[in-house]
């Protein structure tokens, strides 16, 4: 009914209902400049349609409004619009690609085609003149062409065919406007003509007029776009050499009753040299042929390819698309008439004949700029200029509704995000912007660049307040001010931390380089300023993928000497990815980390001791960056929230973190990778940067929706029961209960005749045995962390240590510590890749002697008694049976024990299935 009653422009008439989601997309900045931009309305309502990442944006330029059509989970790779501008078809290029047909009047997706090209996605799409049919071309090595009747409820194409690899990668397709059964596609070197027909109500397909252009008498160049001539007997192809290839048929193309015995003959009859510059756009509109080129020129030709008029401007870059308004402009001031010819001629006062257009049009260029061209005055109005390279840097002003965004093309822009108005910009030509940070007072904006330079700018004018610094040898990846704006710290790709200091010279503040240090040997993931608890002095930490947390003594640091006070290893196996100060929710102070195993950990800020390990959000990829959401003035002082981004999502997490999955939510923001994010000073908005997608997005925060989701997920242990196989009533939980009470029996003695003391708790030292019994095999360090977590859980409040654990607390401990994604065969295989060698069969194996030596001499070393007991138990023998003891670091002593039971070479599969006795998933 929404589609039936929809009218042009109604999208912006209605007020949007309040959303039920914790995060709602409010605005999209930037667009995919490699795809076409379409003009939906012109005149008083200038409305454009374009693609930003995985979202179709309908943008009312004059009204400063956007409508977002969301449905794709991958970046949209191609789109097309029907002749009447109502139907929009989009397709994406990722796995499980979708084709969606939208009604641009209502914004409703009227048809979704699943599994159209499931493996490779779609690289080209077109819609027929009558808007009934779609043609798609897959993006794989072996391309598949499909024709769809999208108005029919079927998931299968009407016809399809595979293209030979020698035809080249076909990346452009268009229908014949006068015959929906015919279309043409081209690669850089080949043009293919197609014809499909219907026979006896059964759809069949035939690919006709395959053509490899032969060598011409002149340089043709690479093919860019093709189009059917309006005379219905020819087709045209524009080339990179500024030429048009004219294709002729031996008879007019009409739909036959049945497939012809042979394809119609198609030949390139001539090559017309139009200009020297490459033709990038080729269109046919009514009785005109229109071209766009790399110099920003738009030229109009008649059917004989005679030049009619030119539109050009020195500020226009290489043209990517041209979209004409559907509203006709009457040059004499009369009412528009859609039956008028596209070009109109009349006599001026000099009685000379002039040609002019009566449709305005929209130009988009490959350097991410849009122009509105008014044809009556040849006025080029720039309506949008966005980043043409990756957007990696974003920062919000600490007091005002301003957001600064930097891109790798050197463009720095500042927006008023409340009014969605562009304020000021600056272009840096020497290098690209990699990171940004405002100082806490909002006076300064620091920028780190890809060439290692650092600029400190005035936050309003974006002018430099001092000379640039050049002390980093690689791209600057992180930049941050201290709370008192006295220090500025950066990290770069060469694993170095550099500190700059604000000093007083001649009565004014200026900045100077203090010192730098190669603090890590792997990429730095975070630099974090804080405040010392016993003073108001800044505190600086850096965290690297080398698992090292490094703390610096800024007060003791002098020129060219950065002092390190502590260096702590945070993880044993996992890699920490991000770091943030944890809100003061108890008497103990923590900082929070997230690692690549989907775990979040709380560390004491003084001792650096791991106090808690918790299950983090599991939305396809680990947390990449985290930040505490600023609170609004009306917020509950005890309510805190965490903002995070994963590889492609942005999300919110209710604090305190406890492993409850219902306390977090996430939404796809940038399918090709989110590079950074920032939060507004009042916590009402989150901004995400899309990296190579060249976009950034504004998300409105709706905390009551997240609170409601957490409430509906259940309280206390209910959310944790649901994380177990079978839930509260399942077999797994019953076994856990049995093990829990079996431990009590063992502690009291299995054979005792005394009355049993049944308890709801077990001693802490029994935690490892129960964990292993239910299938989780922690390392010795993980065991220590688990026991300490429970032992000191109440120490800061009561000063007493906990000595036992209840079943409910044990369940939470198990869920938070166990591998988030379960045991993985890939992890074992990866270890064999590192430790093993290739045998004669090409399998990765470890020699049995080396295997025993590694267990005794590397990592958490096992004693000879422990190893003998473990292997004997695993292999079904009693310890000490049938052989000598194992000698430490001497695998020969294991010969008697392993001669029959263990092979000479161990593969990952043998280790898992035959030694550990675990099933291997197929």
């Amino acid at each position: 009914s929404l589609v039936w009653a929809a009218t042009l422009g109604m999208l912006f008439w209605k007020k949007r209902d309040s959303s039920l989601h914790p995060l709602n997309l409010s605005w999209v900045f930037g667009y995919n400049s490699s795809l076409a931009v379409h003009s939906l309305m012109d005149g008083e309502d200038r409305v454009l349609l374009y693609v930003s990442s995985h979202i179709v944006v309908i943008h009312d330029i004059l009204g400063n409004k956007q409508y977002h059509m969301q449905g794709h989970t991958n970046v949209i790779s191609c789109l097309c619009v029907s002749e009447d501008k109502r139907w929009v078809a989009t397709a994406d290029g990722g796995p499980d690609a979708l084709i969606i047909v939208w009604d641009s009047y209502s914004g409703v997706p009227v048809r979704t085609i699943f599994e159209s090209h499931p493996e490779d996605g779609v690289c080209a799409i077109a819609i027929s003149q009558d808007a009934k049919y779609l043609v798609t071309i897959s993006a794989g090595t072996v391309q598949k062409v499909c024709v769809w009747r999208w108005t029919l409820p079927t998931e299968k194409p009407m016809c399809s065919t595979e293209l030979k690899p020698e035809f080249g990668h076909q990346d452009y397709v268009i229908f014949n406007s006068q015959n929906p059964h015919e279309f043409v596609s081209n690669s850089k070197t080949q043009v293919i003509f197609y014809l499909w027909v219907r026979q006896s109500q059964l759809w069949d397909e035939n690919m006709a007029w395959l053509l490899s252009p032969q060598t011409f008498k002149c340089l043709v160049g690479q093919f860019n776009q093709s189009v059917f001539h309006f005379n219905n007997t020819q087709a045209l192809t524009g080339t990179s050499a500024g030429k048009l290839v004219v294709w002729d048929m031996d008879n007019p193309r009409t739909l036959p009753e049945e497939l012809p015995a042979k394809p119609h003959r198609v030949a390139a009859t001539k090559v017309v040299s139009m200009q020297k510059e490459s033709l990038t756009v080729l269109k046919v509109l009514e009785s005109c042929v229109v071209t766009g080129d790399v110099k920003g020129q738009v030229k109009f030709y008649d059917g004989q390819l005679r030049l009619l008029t030119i539109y050009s401007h020195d500020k226009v870059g290489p043209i990517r698309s041209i979209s004409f308004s559907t509203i006709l402009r009457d040059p004499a001031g009369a009412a528009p008439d859609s039956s008028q010819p596209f070009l109109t001629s009349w006599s001026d006062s000099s009685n000379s004949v002039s040609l002019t257009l009566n449709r305005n049009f929209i130009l988009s260029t490959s350097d991410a700029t849009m122009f509105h061209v008014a044809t009556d005055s040849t006025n080029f109005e720039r309506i949008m200029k966005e980043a043409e390279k990756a957007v990696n840097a974003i920062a919000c002003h600490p007091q005002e509704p301003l957001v600064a965004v930097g891109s790798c093309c050197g463009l720095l822009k500042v927006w008023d995000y409340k009014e969605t108005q562009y304020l000021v910009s600056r272009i840096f030509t020497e290098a690209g912007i990699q990171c940004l940070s405002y100082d806490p007072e909002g006076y300064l904006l620091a920028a780190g660049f890809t060439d290692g330079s650092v600029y400190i700018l005035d936050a309003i004018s974006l002018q430099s307040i001092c000379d640039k610094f050049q002390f980093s040898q690689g791209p600057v990846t992180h930049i941050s001010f201290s709370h008192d704006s006295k220090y500025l710290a950066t990290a770069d790709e060469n694993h170095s931390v550099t500190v700059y200091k604000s000093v007083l010279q001649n009565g004014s503040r200026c900045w100077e380089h203090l010192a730098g240090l190669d603090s890590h040997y792997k990429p730095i993931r975070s630099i974090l300023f804080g405040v010392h608890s016993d003073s108001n002095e800044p505190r600086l930490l850096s965290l690297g993928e080398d698992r090292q947390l490094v703390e610096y003594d800024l007060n003791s640091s002098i020129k060219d000497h950065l002092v390190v006070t502590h260096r702590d290893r945070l993880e044993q196996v996992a890699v920490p990815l991000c770091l943030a100060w944890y809100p003061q929710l108890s008497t103990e102070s923590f900082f929070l980390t997230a690692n690549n195993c989907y775990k979040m950990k709380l560390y004491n800020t003084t001792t650096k001791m791991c106090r808690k390990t918790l299950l983090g959000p599991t939305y396809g990829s680990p947390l990449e960056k985290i930040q505490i959401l600023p609170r609004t003035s009306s917020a509950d002082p005890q309510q805190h929230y965490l903002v995070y981004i994963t590889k492609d999502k942005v999300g919110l997490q209710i604090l305190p973190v406890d492993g409850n999955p219902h306390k977090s939510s996430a939404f796809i923001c940038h399918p090709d990778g989110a590079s950074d994010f920032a939060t507004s000073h009042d916590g009402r908005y989150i901004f995400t940067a899309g990296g190579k997608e060249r976009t950034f997005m504004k998300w409105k925060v709706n905390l009551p929706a997240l609170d409601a989701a957490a409430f509906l997920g259940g309280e206390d242990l209910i959310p944790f029961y649901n994380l177990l196989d079978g839930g509260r009533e399942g077999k797994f939980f019953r076994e856990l209960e049995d093990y829990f009470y079996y431990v009590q029996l063992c502690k009291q003695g299995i054979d005792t005749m005394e009355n049993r003391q049944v308890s709801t708790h077990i001693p802490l030292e029994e935690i490892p045995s129960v964990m292993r019994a239910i299938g989780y095999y922690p390392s010795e360090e993980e065991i220590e962390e688990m026991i300490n977590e429970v032992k000191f859980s109440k120490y800061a409040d009561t000063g007493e240590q906990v000595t036992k654990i209840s079943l409910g607390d044990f369940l939470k401990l198990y869920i938070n510590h166990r591998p988030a994604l379960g045991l993985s065969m890939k992890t074992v295989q990866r270890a064999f890749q590192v430790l093993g060698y290739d045998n004669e069969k090409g399998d990765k194996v470890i020699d049995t002697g080396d295997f025993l030596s590694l267990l005794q001499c590397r990592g958490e070393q096992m004693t000879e008694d422990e190893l003998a007991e473990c292997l004997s138990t695993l292999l079904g023998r009693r310890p000490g049976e049938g052989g000598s003891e194992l000698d430490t670091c001497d695998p020969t002593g294991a010969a008697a024990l392993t001669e029959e039971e263990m092979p000479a070479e161990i593969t990952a599969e043998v280790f898992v299935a035959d030694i550990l006795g675990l099933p291997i998933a197929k």
Side-chain angles (χ1 to χ4, degrees), residues 624-641:
E624 297 284 342
K625 295 185 178 183
I626 57 177
Q627 185 179 327
I628 303 301
L629 182 71
R631 288 182 297 168
T632 60
S633 57
S634 59
D636 183 348
Q638 297 302 314
Q639 282 286 86
H640 296 270
Y641 299 85

Side-chain angles (χ1 to χ4, degrees), residues 366-427:
S366 58
D367 59 1
T369 309
M370 297 183 199
F371 293 90
H372 178 266
V373 183
T375 55
D376 56 344
S377 61
T378 65
N379 178 42
F380 282 71
E381 177 191 355
R382 190 173 75 175
I383 55 178
M384 193 178 296
K385 169 61 180 174
E386 299 297 340
E388 55 185 291
K389 292 184 180 179
V391 176
N392 291 328
I394 192 165
C396 284
H397 195 279
Q399 299 172 12
E400 301 295 332
L402 305 177
V403 58
V405 183
S407 76
C408 286
C409 64
L411 176 63
L412 173 62
K413 295 182 75 171
V414 177
W415 292 79
D416 180 336
Y417 58 76
K418 190 173 182 181
E419 301 296 332
T420 322
Q421 293 289 338
Y422 153 71
L423 297 179
V424 65
S425 65
R426 179 178 174 183
I427 296 179

Side-chain angles (χ1 to χ4, degrees), residues 435-480:
C435 51
L436 293 169
S437 177
Y438 281 99
D439 79 308
E441 296 175 344
Y443 298 142
L444 305 176
L445 176 63
F449 287 77
T450 53
D451 64 351
S453 61
V454 173
Y455 283 76
I456 301 178
L457 313 172
D458 180 86
I460 303 300
S461 67
L462 302 186
Q463 295 305 306
S464 301
I465 66 167
C466 60
D467 293 336
K468 72 174 182 178
F469 295 103
Q470 188 77 56
F471 291 94
S472 296
Q473 301 302 312
V476 179
T477 56
H478 299 79
I479 192 165
S480 180

Side-chain angles (χ1 to χ4, degrees), residues 9 187 212 263 283 437 457 516 590 615 617 676 783 827 836 842 878 904 916:
S187 65
S212 298
K283 297 177 73 73
S437 177
L457 313 172
F590 302 105
L615 177 65
D676 199 4
I783 289 171
T827 305
R878 293 189 300 275
L916 298 181

Side-chain angles (χ1 to χ4, degrees), residues 166-187:
E166 53 263 34
F167 293 152
H169 185 77
Q170 302 285 314
D171 56 5
Y172 183 80
V173 65
I174 190 170
F175 273 98
N176 184 349
S177 61
Q178 301 180 55
N179 182 0
H181 292 261
E182 187 176 13
F183 56 93
V184 61
S185 71
N186 67 261
S187 65

